[in-house]
Amino acid sequence: MAWPRVSPAQTRHRRGRGATESTGKPPGSKAPGWQVLLCPVGTWSKVLMAKTEAGASARLCRGLRRPQPVASERCGGARVTVPCRGDRCRFHQPLPLTASVTPCRPPWTFPALASRSRTLAGLSLFRDSALVLFAVSVTPQDCDGLIVRSATKVTAEVLEAAERLQVVGRAGTGVDNVDVEAATRKGVLVMNTPTGNSLSAAELTCGMILCLARQIPQAAASMKEGKWDRKKYMGMELNGKTLAVLGLGRIGREVATRMQAFGMKTIGYDPIITPDVSATFGVEQLPLEQIWPRCDFITVHTPLLPSTTGLLNDSTFAKCRRGVQVVNCARGGIVDEGALLRALQSGQCGGAALDVFTQEPPKDRDLVNHPNVISCPHLGASTREAQSRCGKEIAMQIVDMATGKGLTGVVNGQALSKAFSPHTKPWVTLARALGTLLCTVGKQVQGSLQVCTLGTALKEAGSYLTPAVAAGMLAGGTQKEVTLVNATLLAQEAGLKVTSTHSDVAPEPHSSTGLVQVSLQGTPHQVMGTVQGSTPALRQINGATFKQPAPLSGPLIVYRAKASDSSALATLTGLLSKAGVQLLSYHSSSTVAGEQWSVVGLSAPLPNLGELKPRVTEIFQLHLP
């Protein structure tokens, strides 16, 4: 996925009607490029960038809600001044993606815009890699990538409308606002930046615990009312108290280690992190039933899942110590808000600090208005450092994916991260090619498919080669887009069961490089291949071995004929001569039951194989990447 560059020398400027415009169009170039859509953030409304035929350019407008006579921003070294009439501004109108508009030149210096859009921190990373299109006021139909924050909902309808979409980047941790199942079905990668918000969310949680212990917000509000209520706001020390941390991922462990500095004893629970691992950062893991009666404070740091929805409810509050303090800076819904309010009213819960709510902003204010509740408007990630870090991380992740450097932060296909490294890419290509070849030879997609990796070099390869084989098997079917993301799911729906095994032993001379073997269970159809250099090659087909592995790329003709009959090759040579097609390679296998397989590499596909069919047992024509 190469992204085109447009140098300043290739950009022609002209002034008119108070704006600078550019064609952004290199002569003779028609590279399509990538387009990334940045969705709106906060009250900052419009920054429209439109793509030309061969590059990208942009039109800028502050887009203030109230009418403004003039909006001015600095674009690179030039100042662009445009008349702005709020929502009636001509720059607010959606433009065709072939429009020629104001270019956003390096170094992307827009202080006012950058302060309003938290994702803009990563713009320079895109610019450093290639000239890319960003937009916030156009629909995603023509977008290859989509970057969103938590407020933008990426629904199944949005994904269906975005025909070219390859990746959705969530500049933050949670992906509640993205329909991950619909994205997976469509073959769209979903990324997030799990580390970007961790420190900010952990620090806010620690601040909430301190505020609960000493009632700092309530005392501050009382002071602003002119009161001096020293006795009313009697607090407690944290030293010696027990903190229960539910969810011991990045944020949970940061909270635990920080609160240990206050002398708190930390206990916790996590279904994934082992007790041995949690012990390394000072957390004693216990079953939930043992946690409730032991803790003075509870803080939750889990994703919102069916299993965690209502994790703290009437039943669990009843098992806790009277006066327990609760903190939720993770996701609204983990704490049952109705149960929490009842526990506060009865005194079973002594106080709560909430940064998140089931409905945001909350319409029912009873919980927010309770005197023992401290609440914030979802500020967990609202620090300058976190916003800048998330913007840069998601930008870099998409740049790395598009340039083939790597794949990180994937939500719906973590095993595919290894498939994007330069070392594994040829093996992924091989696996897809073997799947396509086996589907063609076996003439079926349903059944049980066995993928076996041979050799120590491929010990961990099954996780990404298995979906690649499935994608190859389904490529010739009715599915529109089969990718490594949705191949396993679509294979199951097509009635294809795919399993994988591994053996450290591989036959010579492939013991150091490895082999991939794919079999259709219950049939004689089996193919085996390897990688030579960076080229995938066929080693065996239905028990017939190629002494010199046949390359699996480009237009190919694969046929089986009697070993004693050379007329098939002579006929093929004549057909190639008539069609003006070059023969690039020819490989024949060992003889099995008097027949042998041949793999012929061509410069272009043959239009008709009719003359060859009477001279062979079976014949196929493929076009592999």
Side-chain angles (χ1 to χ4, degrees):
M1 289 176 281
W3 295 0
R5 292 180 180 269
V6 179
S7 67
Q10 295 170 321
T11 306
R12 176 169 51 87
H13 296 277
R14 62 181 184 275
R15 293 190 176 274
R17 299 183 67 179
T20 301
E21 297 185 350
S22 166
T23 60
K25 198 171 183 179
S29 174
K30 295 186 178 181
W34 257 52
Q35 172 176 328
V36 178
L37 180 67
L38 291 182
C39 287
V41 177
T43 58
W44 174 58
S45 55
K46 310 288 181 181
V47 174
L48 178 63
M49 299 189 179
K51 184 170 63 175
T52 65
E53 185 180 18
S57 52
R59 176 170 289 189
L60 301 177
C61 178
R62 289 279 303 266
L64 301 178
R65 295 265 176 128
R66 60 184 182 275
Q68 192 81 0
V70 171
S72 177
E73 293 295 344
R74 182 171 295 278
C75 183
R79 181 169 292 280
V80 180
T81 303
V82 298
C84 180
R85 301 191 301 276
D87 291 338
R88 295 175 297 158
C89 175
R90 67 186 180 89
F91 281 71
H92 287 178
Q93 305 304 314
L95 300 177
L97 290 177
T98 55
S100 173
V101 291
T102 304
C104 190
R105 306 301 310 163
W108 310 84
T109 51
F110 304 106
L113 294 180
S115 66
R116 293 171 184 266
S117 176
R118 298 175 293 228
T119 308
L120 285 180
L123 286 181
S124 60
L125 298 176
F126 284 98
R127 187 263 305 163
D128 290 340
S129 300
L131 197 59
V132 193
L133 171 67
F134 301 82
V136 295
S137 58
V138 296
T139 54
Q141 283 97 333
D142 296 319
C143 293
D144 303 284
L146 184 64
I147 296 178
V148 300
R149 296 288 303 179
S150 59
T152 304
K153 307 299 181 186
V154 184
T155 63
E157 290 75 19
V158 172
L159 292 164
E160 188 63 30
E163 297 178 357
R164 287 172 39 187
L165 194 63
Q166 297 184 41
V167 59
V168 174
R170 161 72 166 96
T173 304
V175 289
D176 311 51
N177 55 317
V178 180
D179 192 331
V180 179
E181 182 179 351
T184 303
R185 184 174 298 278
K186 188 177 172 60
V188 175
L189 281 171
V190 179
M191 293 180 175
N192 67 348
T193 55
T195 61
N197 298 339
S198 298
L199 288 178
S200 294
E203 289 179 359
L204 177 66
T205 303
C206 295
M208 290 287 207
I209 295 172
L210 289 166
C211 287
L212 281 175
R214 300 304 298 269
Q215 302 181 70
I216 297 171
Q218 294 94 325
S222 175
M223 283 289 291
K224 290 183 182 295
E225 294 173 359
K227 299 178 183 179
W228 188 262
D229 294 327
R230 294 185 66 194
K231 294 183 179 180
K232 182 178 180 180
Y233 298 110
M234 182 67 67
M236 71 176 85
E237 288 185 350
L238 295 177
N239 184 54
K241 301 299 188 296
T242 299
L243 171 66
V245 184
L246 306 184
L248 299 171
R250 281 173 290 268
I251 299 174
R253 70 182 63 187
E254 294 290 350
V255 170
T257 54
R258 281 159 174 74
M259 298 318 297
Q260 288 161 13
F262 286 86
M264 297 193 81
K265 179 181 180 180
T266 50
I267 60 177
Y269 173 78
D270 192 295
I272 299 175
I273 305 298
T274 64
D276 291 340
V277 172
S278 64
T280 62
F281 51 88
V283 176
E284 178 189 2
Q285 278 212 55
L286 298 169
L288 287 173
E289 293 302 314
Q290 295 182 28
I291 285 178
W292 307 128
R294 290 183 55 175
C295 56
D296 301 294
F297 289 80
I298 301 174
T299 178
V300 295
H301 299 285
T302 70
L304 183 63
L305 303 169
S307 59
T308 61
T309 301
L311 183 62
L312 272 68
N313 50 49
D314 288 308
S315 174
T316 53
F317 277 122
K319 299 173 184 176
C320 292
R321 290 179 179 177
R322 186 168 180 82
V324 68
Q325 310 277 323
V326 175
V327 180
N328 184 7
C329 293
R331 282 289 179 267
I334 298 174
V335 178
D336 185 324
E337 293 175 0
L340 176 59
L341 182 58
R342 289 187 288 274
L344 286 163
Q345 292 169 342
S346 68
Q348 181 66 16
C349 178
L354 306 173
D355 185 47
V356 291
F357 298 86
T358 304
Q359 184 182 43
E360 295 184 352
K363 291 184 178 179
D364 186 348
R365 308 290 294 183
D366 290 344
L367 190 59
V368 174
N369 293 334
H370 193 281
N372 292 341
V373 171
I374 302 167
S375 56
C376 294
H378 204 145
L379 300 180
S382 295
T383 63
R384 288 185 292 272
E385 295 83 356
Q387 300 308 309
S388 175
R389 196 157 48 235
C390 285
K392 290 177 180 177
E393 283 185 14
I394 197 65
M396 182 56 71
Q397 287 172 202
I398 291 181
V399 167
D400 286 346
M401 189 203 84
T403 54
K405 293 182 180 178
L407 188 65
T408 56
V410 179
V411 175
N412 59 342
Q414 292 86 342
L416 302 183
S417 300
K418 297 179 181 179
F420 273 70
S421 71
H423 170 71
T424 58
K425 276 184 178 180
W427 290 97
V428 172
T429 305
L430 169 68
R432 291 187 70 125
L434 291 178
T436 302
L437 179 59
L438 188 61
C439 178
T440 304
V441 174
K443 300 182 179 67
Q444 68 179 68
V445 176
Q446 295 180 334
S448 295
L449 188 67
Q450 180 72 45
V451 180
C452 181
T453 52
L454 305 172
T456 55
L458 299 178
K459 189 171 184 178
E460 305 295 331
S463 61
Y464 57 87
L465 293 185
T466 299
V469 171
M473 286 286 291
L474 298 171
T478 58
Q479 302 291 347
K480 291 182 179 179
E481 293 184 26
V482 184
T483 69
L484 297 185
V485 178
N486 62 5
T488 304
L489 175 63
L490 296 179
Q492 292 174 354
E493 294 180 351
L496 183 66
K497 181 181 179 182
V498 187
T499 58
S500 64
T501 60
H502 174 76
S503 172
D504 286 337
V505 180
E508 293 291 344
H510 307 285
S511 56
S512 60
T513 55
L515 290 167
V516 178
Q517 178 181 289
V518 186
S519 309
L520 266 175
Q521 300 296 299
T523 75
H525 303 302
Q526 180 188 93
V527 291
M528 181 186 294
T530 187
V531 171
Q532 294 184 322
S534 60
T535 304
L538 181 64
R539 182 75 177 84
Q540 191 179 97
I541 180 170
N542 290 359
T545 302
F546 290 86
K547 186 175 182 180
Q548 293 295 328
L552 290 175
S553 61
L556 296 176
I557 289 181
V558 181
Y559 66 88
R560 179 165 59 97
K562 292 182 179 180
S564 57
D565 188 359
S566 61
S567 61
L569 181 59
T571 304
L572 175 60
T573 305
L575 287 175
L576 294 176
S577 178
K578 292 178 183 178
V581 176
Q582 294 180 342
L583 190 151
L584 302 181
S585 63
Y586 176 82
H587 294 78
S588 59
S589 73
S590 60
T591 302
V592 176
E595 294 184 322
Q596 64 179 179
W597 287 87
S598 297
V599 177
V600 185
L602 307 176
S603 61
L606 274 178
N608 193 340
L609 300 178
E611 293 185 33
L612 267 174
K613 290 181 178 179
R615 304 182 183 278
V616 299
T617 306
E618 55 183 329
I619 186 169
F620 317 99
Q621 186 162 215
L622 308 172
H623 198 303
L624 300 175

